[in-house]
Amino acid sequence: MDKDILLYKLVRLRKRIEKWADINGFENIENQSERKDAEGNIVWRRSHWEYVDDMHNALYNDHEYWYDKKTLKELNRLWKRYNIY
């Protein structure tokens, strides 16, 4: 996939998540990744919005970012998950 196309789609996904969060609350955005301590408390997390933003920034700043079929499927899943219509 062309880098410019992917950057454009990542911006659209990020804005879609933001619109969804405006309606449903930013605290309700799911986590892409999280770490828990021995007691089960979340000590670190990265939301879907942060995941998409980090990916966009890495691609935009020409850092090497390798994505595969699995990553693109995950982005498609996020697009469907944060549908507000």
Side-chain angles (χ1 to χ4, degrees), residues 57-69:
N57 292 337
L59 283 171
Y60 183 80
N61 293 317
D62 276 338
H63 296 293
E64 290 194 26
Y65 189 89
W66 300 102
Y67 53 91
D68 57 2
K69 185 177 178 180

Side-chain angles (χ1 to χ4, degrees), residues 17 25 40 45 47 77:
I17 294 171
R45 66 187 176 109
S47 69
R77 187 186 72 75

Side-chain angles (χ1 to χ4, degrees), residues 7-20 48-50 52-54 56-57 79:
L7 285 170
Y8 172 73
K9 290 185 178 207
L10 288 171
V11 169
R12 287 186 60 206
L13 177 57
R14 188 175 58 198
K15 288 181 181 180
R16 186 175 176 123
I17 294 171
E18 289 169 357
K19 287 180 184 177
W20 183 93
H48 287 146
W49 185 91
E50 292 170 319
V52 172
D53 188 55
D54 290 346
H56 175 271
N57 292 337
W79 182 262

Side-chain angles (χ1 to χ4, degrees), residues 1-55:
M1 175 179 285
D2 183 48
K3 179 180 174 179
D4 292 331
I5 293 172
L6 185 56
L7 285 170
Y8 172 73
K9 290 185 178 207
L10 288 171
V11 169
R12 287 186 60 206
L13 177 57
R14 188 175 58 198
K15 288 181 181 180
R16 186 175 176 123
I17 294 171
E18 289 169 357
K19 287 180 184 177
W20 183 93
D22 283 340
I23 295 168
N24 298 296
F26 284 88
E27 68 279 357
N28 294 321
I29 295 176
E30 294 178 10
N31 295 330
Q32 184 268 340
S33 181
E34 55 187 39
R35 303 291 183 263
K36 297 181 179 183
D37 61 10
E39 298 169 359
N41 299 320
I42 297 175
V43 294
W44 178 86
R45 66 187 176 109
R46 180 166 71 172
S47 69
H48 287 146
W49 185 91
E50 292 170 319
Y51 170 66
V52 172
D53 188 55
D54 290 346
M55 184 184 299

